[in-house]
Amino acid sequence: METTLQVLSEAERAQVHERTLGVLERVGMRCDTAEGRRVLADAGAQVDEATCIVRFPAELVERSLAQATRRYSLGGRRPGWNFALNEGRHTLLADGGATNVFDCATRKRRPATHDDWLAATRILDALDDVGLYWCPTDYSPNYEQPAGFVRYFTEVFTTFSKHVQDSFGTPELAPWLKEILDIVFGGREAVRELRPLSFLITPTSPLTIEERYTDSWLALRDYGLPVAIMPMPLQGATAPGSRLATILTANCETIGTLCLVEAAAPGTPVISAPVIATMDPRSGLYAAGAIEHGVICAAGTEMARYYGLPAESSGFCTQTYEPDLQTAWEKANGGLLVTLSNPDILVGPGLLAGATTLCLEQIILDVEESRLARQARTGVPVRDDLWLDDVLKATGPCGSFLGERSTRVNARSGEWHLSDLGVHGSRDAWQAVGSPTTLDYARRKVQEILAAQSSLPLDDGVVVALAALQKRADSATA
């Protein structure tokens, strides 16, 4: 029996859906993209051009949900690597967008540099637990110009060999990304089949489909990229002041955006990815480590499952500005809750301070927390070979099971989670190696990974073609 979590009952999920239909039909969403409004009007939505409000008839919503592709795999450049969605397992997605770095060696926060970006990307590529990549730090001031844009995606696909999930808000750059994808993966049809990149659309709360990022996806829609829809409503700030109403807000924003996606490109693979959060009523700030965050994100995963959609969720969040005990309990609590809700993708390893500060050691700690949560989700496997009543009979009262073959076999087959991080031996053994802290162990692991990691090389022809594209992009920027 696996360990499971339920936040909303089946009847309550149905109520969320029914109220979502009502809000979308009566209130609607503001759609700031003119192309999006045109697409939705053609699909049967009621569009008020004066206010940019779009209202979604229930029939349009149900038709759009039926069109979305639900079972598919995310691919990457690494040979043989793929991750199938809606198969009952999850992978980690590196959290993105930090502007600062906490340096554990100096115990200081400083602005993020390209070297930090590269080190984080290499660590994430080396960790099999992390299947998806989202830019962990700000990359370059000219990212939204051709030169910086081409340089960024070239370096991402050169350094990280699994799946990339990212976005950009300059639609004019879409042709450049298409060329990069053509060069690296072999053309549009190869990209449509492999799905090495998914595009992140983030509706603005409350109830707004923003313009620039949505238009960027619309310019890419012929490439069949999966779309992750990630509204970020904040309970009491950009959503009403109850957990239930915040879940409803997120669901409306997710489903309304899905309608646009399916109207623009029917059958587009969609990932339901709401990050449902709360504010601290004492300050009005985002309460990154609040326990309510984990609970309502788990509810968001349950709504994705209600629709049969792949689920992406957020759990490893913290308010703290450097790794400490509060970091541990906030990330462990949120990570466990959301893991037990069974998402396909779990966002968050490596960031502090409400996802604004990167810490390389925290990547290692969060991955270990994820492994523990994954083990907790396995529950208590029940099979004939695990009862071991014959071993109990043979050993009898007052016996020991340390020498039993079944103990040795099961110690290596998942009955225990055997971590290689942290303190696990005697006090004497710990003192003999200098009484290291958990951060010391994490720092050592970072150093070991960076010393050993080697990115999968690109073919020579691909390198030459990307260099030529970069030269053109440099000229276009100048």
Side-chain angles (χ1 to χ4, degrees):
M1 177 68 73
E2 288 190 345
T3 310
T4 59
L5 173 75
Q6 183 180 66
V7 178
L8 300 173
S9 68
E10 283 293 332
E12 289 164 346
R13 296 173 207 181
Q15 289 182 58
V16 173
H17 174 61
E18 289 302 317
R19 288 178 182 269
T20 296
L21 293 178
V23 171
L24 289 176
E25 187 160 26
R26 293 190 294 272
V27 180
M29 295 181 69
R30 195 179 82 187
C31 183
D32 287 342
T33 157
E35 172 69 2
R37 294 194 299 275
R38 183 194 65 77
V39 165
L40 284 167
D42 289 347
Q46 299 170 7
V47 177
D48 184 333
E49 281 293 336
T51 62
C52 298
I53 297 296
V54 175
R55 294 180 174 86
F56 304 78
E59 184 277 331
L60 169 60
V61 175
E62 300 291 5
R63 171 162 38 95
S64 300
L65 283 165
Q67 289 175 321
T69 298
R70 287 161 164 75
R71 288 190 175 271
Y72 56 94
S73 293
L74 302 176
R77 198 166 62 82
R78 184 180 297 185
W81 187 92
N82 69 80
F83 188 79
L85 301 177
N86 261 335
E87 295 290 339
R89 60 195 184 98
H90 80 269
T91 189
L92 296 178
L93 164 61
D95 208 345
T99 55
N100 298 296
V101 167
F102 179 75
D103 189 326
C104 283
T106 64
R107 307 294 299 182
K108 299 290 185 182
R109 189 189 76 160
R110 55 175 174 75
T113 67
H114 180 268
D115 286 345
D116 297 316
W117 175 90
L118 183 59
T121 304
R122 292 179 59 211
I123 291 169
L124 295 165
D125 186 59
L127 292 167
D128 291 337
D129 309 76
V130 180
L132 278 70
Y133 177 86
W134 185 9
C135 186
T137 67
D138 283 352
Y139 178 77
S140 167
N142 70 343
Y143 167 71
E144 295 280 359
Q145 299 176 21
F149 184 81
V150 170
R151 187 173 295 107
Y152 169 71
F153 276 103
T154 295
E155 196 162 13
V156 168
F157 288 126
T158 300
T159 310
F160 190 82
S161 58
K162 293 166 281 185
H163 184 83
V164 175
Q165 184 176 106
D166 219 321
S167 60
F168 56 95
T170 307
E172 296 79 11
L173 294 173
W176 294 98
L177 181 56
K178 290 180 179 182
E179 286 200 61
I180 295 168
L181 293 171
D182 290 347
I183 292 168
V184 176
F185 297 102
R188 182 175 67 178
E189 292 310 310
V191 171
R192 293 179 67 92
E193 181 177 354
L194 184 61
R195 302 187 186 95
L197 174 70
S198 51
F199 195 91
L200 188 64
I201 295 179
T202 305
T204 304
S205 300
L207 301 175
T208 304
I209 299 174
E210 64 80 47
E211 178 183 14
R212 301 293 287 172
Y213 285 81
T214 307
D215 279 344
S216 294
W217 173 76
L218 286 167
L220 292 167
R221 65 186 184 269
D222 58 319
Y223 269 58
L225 303 179
V227 176
I229 303 172
M230 185 181 282
M232 299 182 183
L234 201 62
Q235 177 189 346
T238 59
S242 76
R243 280 169 275 180
L244 187 59
T246 305
I247 293 165
L248 174 62
T249 302
N251 203 61
C252 292
E253 292 163 352
T254 301
I255 301 305
T257 305
L258 180 147
C259 290
L260 187 155
V261 169
E262 296 304 324
T268 294
V270 168
I271 302 168
S272 176
V275 174
I276 313 176
T278 185
M279 63 124 181
D280 187 334
R282 296 165 295 191
S283 65
L285 298 175
Y286 165 42
I291 194 65
E292 293 86 358
H293 176 66
V295 172
I296 54 183
C297 275
T301 296
E302 291 177 349
M303 289 310 301
R305 297 301 181 215
Y306 178 85
Y307 297 117
L309 295 169
E312 180 173 317
S313 193
S314 172
F316 293 105
C317 304
T318 184
Q319 190 67 41
T320 58
Y321 301 101
E322 56 185 76
D324 64 9
L325 287 175
Q326 182 179 337
T327 312
W329 80 60
E330 289 182 344
K331 283 178 171 274
N333 287 340
L336 178 60
L337 280 170
V338 177
T339 298
L340 295 182
S341 71
N342 190 26
D344 297 279
I345 302 162
L346 184 50
V347 183
L351 297 194
L352 303 165
T356 62
T357 300
L358 170 71
C359 175
L360 298 182
E361 289 79 4
Q362 193 65 50
I363 296 174
I364 305 301
L365 297 173
D366 290 348
V367 166
E368 180 59 25
E369 289 164 355
S370 174
R371 291 170 181 170
L372 292 167
R374 193 189 301 270
Q375 178 72 354
R377 187 168 170 266
T378 64
V380 179
V382 178
R383 302 193 310 264
D384 287 346
D385 64 307
L386 292 176
W387 287 107
L388 299 177
D389 43 356
D390 56 332
V391 177
L392 187 62
K393 177 181 177 181
T395 303
C398 299
S400 171
F401 300 92
L402 281 172
E404 289 293 332
R405 181 178 182 277
S406 57
T407 302
R408 298 192 301 274
V409 169
N410 288 335
R412 294 172 172 82
S413 63
E415 283 293 301
W416 282 264
H417 172 69
L418 301 175
S419 175
D420 61 355
L421 184 72
V423 179
H424 301 287
S426 68
R427 179 180 179 85
D428 288 345
W430 172 65
Q431 288 179 319
V433 294
S435 306
T437 66
T438 306
L439 271 180
D440 292 330
Y441 285 112
R443 189 177 304 116
R444 185 180 307 160
K445 182 66 70 174
V446 165
Q447 293 166 350
E448 290 172 356
I449 291 174
L450 292 176
Q453 190 269 349
S454 179
S455 296
L456 181 70
L458 294 165
D459 292 343
D460 290 346
V462 171
V463 173
V464 170
L466 287 172
L469 183 64
Q470 184 66 63
K471 187 175 181 180
R472 285 171 43 213
D474 291 342
S475 297
T477 301

